[in-house]
Amino acid sequence: NPLMIIKGSLRTIRRDAGHVPGANQAVQDIEEEVARLNGLVNEVLDYARPIRFDLANADLNALCRAAAEAATAGEADSQGKASVTVRTDPTVGEVVTDQERLRSVLVNVLTNARDAVLEKEEAVAGGAGRGEADRRYSLPDVELRTERLSPELVRIRVTDCGKGIAPGDLAHIFDPFFTTKRTGSGLGLAIAKNIVEGLGGAIAITSEPDRGTDV
């Protein structure tokens, strides 16, 4: 793997050139880009290869709480961050699914939702406009909710009050390699769609610019 060779060579550079001004920062920058490229390669492989599911009974509410924790991992507090509120329906119970793959879908969707909230805050001077308006009505930044719609149907819903998606982009949101993010691969939602449909479900997105998105 060429990326592993690059990563291994960086250890030598750090050891032998650590005293050179700027060398450590340059090595760190390269390592970060290697990690990003490795993630992109893995996403391409995940999209291209047939998905193998490991099906088992799973507590859907517990799975959703775990996904929310993973999406906000490593943050000591919510200041300057987009919080995630989890509301679970106790009647949902267990479903047969692939826990790890469904969890990865939820983490991806929650991360996108939090990014949209933060981007909207940055677009408003100092973030004060959005924050004051939403906190006045106690709206969560991002909400993850489970609902039982019928004896055979449950829904996981992720709603945010972020910047929303332009109508022209909404039609392409599940297209491979389509992205509006500078560092995005455009594969996250395409993979999510493959996983959800492979598990026998469906995924849909509605959105209004400057109002938010519902997945």
Side-chain angles (χ1 to χ4, degrees):
N1 186 326
L3 294 177
M4 295 305 295
I5 295 172
I6 295 170
K7 191 172 182 179
S9 299
L10 288 173
R11 297 194 187 99
T12 303
I13 295 173
R14 179 181 280 114
R15 184 187 67 235
D16 296 343
H19 61 283
V20 178
N24 285 331
Q25 184 59 53
V27 168
Q28 181 179 330
D29 291 343
I30 296 170
E31 283 183 330
E32 290 174 357
E33 293 306 303
V34 167
R36 193 164 70 87
L37 285 171
N38 190 59
L40 175 59
V41 170
N42 283 330
E43 285 187 336
V44 171
L45 292 174
D46 283 342
Y47 183 75
R49 65 165 65 101
I51 302 175
R52 294 183 180 180
F53 294 109
D54 184 11
L55 300 177
N57 286 337
D59 182 332
L60 194 60
N61 288 336
L63 191 155
C64 287
R65 286 190 289 268
E69 290 176 5
T72 57
E75 296 175 1
D77 56 63
S78 60
Q79 186 175 3
K81 305 291 184 181
S83 60
V84 176
T85 300
V86 181
R87 293 192 168 95
T88 55
D89 181 345
T91 68
V92 166
E94 289 192 341
V95 298
V96 176
T97 189
D98 186 317
Q99 292 193 67
E100 191 54 38
R101 290 196 180 276
L102 183 54
R103 177 179 169 276
S104 72
V105 169
L106 292 172
V107 170
N108 181 280
V109 172
L110 289 169
T111 299
N112 287 345
R114 299 178 78 231
D115 287 347
V117 171
L118 294 176
E119 287 174 22
K120 183 178 178 180
E121 287 185 339
E122 291 170 359
V124 177
R130 189 212 67 90
E132 289 174 2
D134 285 352
R135 291 186 184 95
R136 187 182 310 147
Y137 299 103
S138 301
L139 294 176
D141 291 328
V142 179
E143 180 183 87
L144 189 158
R145 179 189 294 269
T146 60
E147 304 167 285
R148 177 164 291 284
L149 304 182
S150 73
E152 299 298 326
L153 185 63
V154 296
R155 175 167 60 191
I156 304 172
R157 193 169 189 169
V158 176
T159 307
D160 69 64
C161 55
K163 68 172 186 175
I165 303 169
D169 291 340
L170 196 58
H172 302 286
I173 207 70
F174 293 115
D175 291 353
F177 304 109
F178 176 82
T179 182
T180 59
K181 295 182 179 181
R182 184 179 64 84
T183 60
S185 68
L187 284 171
L189 287 177
I191 293 170
K193 186 173 187 288
N194 282 354
I195 291 173
V196 171
E197 292 181 348
L199 290 169
I203 183 170
I205 297 180
T206 58
S207 186
E208 291 184 55
D210 298 322
R211 294 291 298 275
T213 301
D214 188 14
V215 184

